[in-house]
Amino acid sequence: ITCLDISSGGGLGVSTSTDGTMKIWQAANGEIRRLLEGHVYDVNCCRFFPSGLVVLSGGMDAQLKIWSAEDASCVVTFKGHKAGILDTAIVDRGRNVLSCSRDGTARLWDCGKSACLGVIADCGSPVNGVAVGLADNSINLGSPEKPPSEREVGTEGKILLLAREDKKLQGVGLQSRQLVFLFVGSDAFNCCTFLSSTYLLAGTQDGKVYQLDVRNT
């Protein structure tokens, strides 16, 4: 098993596996409700949308998929990454989603039109984890070089964290695509998350957990 998530109401769980499948189960008793099949090779990550009725997944087949938790159908498949997808994030209510990959990029997608809205960052090194959070008002996120697409919803004021294989933790303005910070750690960064609008945590391959202040990393 590679990843787990629980729906916002707490009733359902989803898990992904190296056997290429995903399962949706009743959180209270572990009863399997749905088997989601469609990825080729390992499925690396899964997340419930805020509604709790839809699931986002990414796999080694470089595909990002959206599933109905109610009938197990695959509603949308996003293609664009050149290598396996390692982590995902959902922006706001889920009209836009994010993915990161072994190909070194983080991409923003429009769920309604199942299209890529842009490459947020191209790191030249696998991106193992992503997290999106609301940035503190004191943080300069930069300005977009061109006005964002009207299909881009809820990206303003957000910062994207990228946990990179090349020992770097990167912060990017989600709407601006501009670099906010680049922190060099002791080993490959495997995962990252926000504690608040100013503090974040990230874990490295050599067993360290870093707590950083976004305002001064």
Side-chain angles (χ1 to χ4, degrees):
I1 291 170
T2 49
C3 190
L4 294 168
D5 196 22
I6 300 290
S7 64
S8 52
L12 293 176
V14 61
S15 53
T16 58
S17 169
T18 54
D19 67 6
T21 68
M22 303 165 60
K23 291 187 169 82
I24 289 179
W25 32 274
Q26 204 70 37
N29 58 14
E31 181 192 333
I32 303 296
R33 295 291 299 275
R34 297 281 181 269
L35 179 66
L36 310 183
E37 295 182 288
H39 278 289
V40 190
Y41 316 122
D42 305 14
V43 192
N44 292 329
C45 45
C46 56
R47 277 179 205 276
F48 275 102
F49 278 76
S51 67
L53 304 172
V54 188
V55 172
L56 178 69
S57 68
M60 287 310 270
D61 56 7
Q63 296 187 99
L64 190 67
K65 290 179 179 284
I66 294 177
W67 309 80
S68 161
E70 296 174 300
D71 65 8
S73 62
C74 178
V75 193
V76 177
T77 299
F78 301 108
K79 293 181 180 175
H81 280 294
K82 305 284 190 294
I85 293 168
L86 300 175
D87 199 8
T88 58
I90 293 170
V91 183
D92 263 7
R93 302 296 304 158
R95 285 175 64 182
N96 292 171
V97 296
L98 291 148
S99 58
C100 68
S101 164
R102 290 177 69 89
D103 68 11
T105 67
R107 290 171 182 263
L108 182 71
W109 308 86
D110 172 13
C111 296
K113 293 221 168 138
S114 57
C116 182
L117 289 170
V119 175
I120 305 294
D122 190 346
C123 303
S125 166
V127 184
N128 296 323
V130 288
V132 65
L134 199 58
D136 186 79
N137 293 335
S138 63
I139 298 160
N140 179 12
L141 297 177
S143 305
E145 287 173 8
K146 56 179 194 249
S149 155
E150 70 213 18
R151 304 289 305 176
E152 207 171 293
V153 184
T155 57
E156 194 178 358
K158 304 270 174 44
I159 186 168
L160 180 67
L161 294 182
L162 303 170
R164 296 168 37 166
E165 184 70 22
D166 61 2
K167 306 184 183 180
K168 290 175 183 147
L169 183 71
Q170 182 174 343
V172 182
L174 185 51
Q175 192 178 78
S176 70
R177 324 283 204 254
Q178 306 288 324
L179 185 72
V180 177
F181 72 84
L182 194 61
F183 176 82
V184 181
S186 55
D187 205 346
F189 278 96
N190 291 332
C191 52
C192 54
T193 191
F194 283 93
L195 282 175
S196 68
S197 60
T198 49
Y199 293 110
L200 57 94
L201 289 175
T204 49
Q205 184 64 28
D206 59 0
K208 292 195 175 86
V209 177
Y210 288 86
Q211 181 179 338
L212 300 173
D213 185 329
V214 184
R215 297 163 300 186
N216 178 18
T217 55

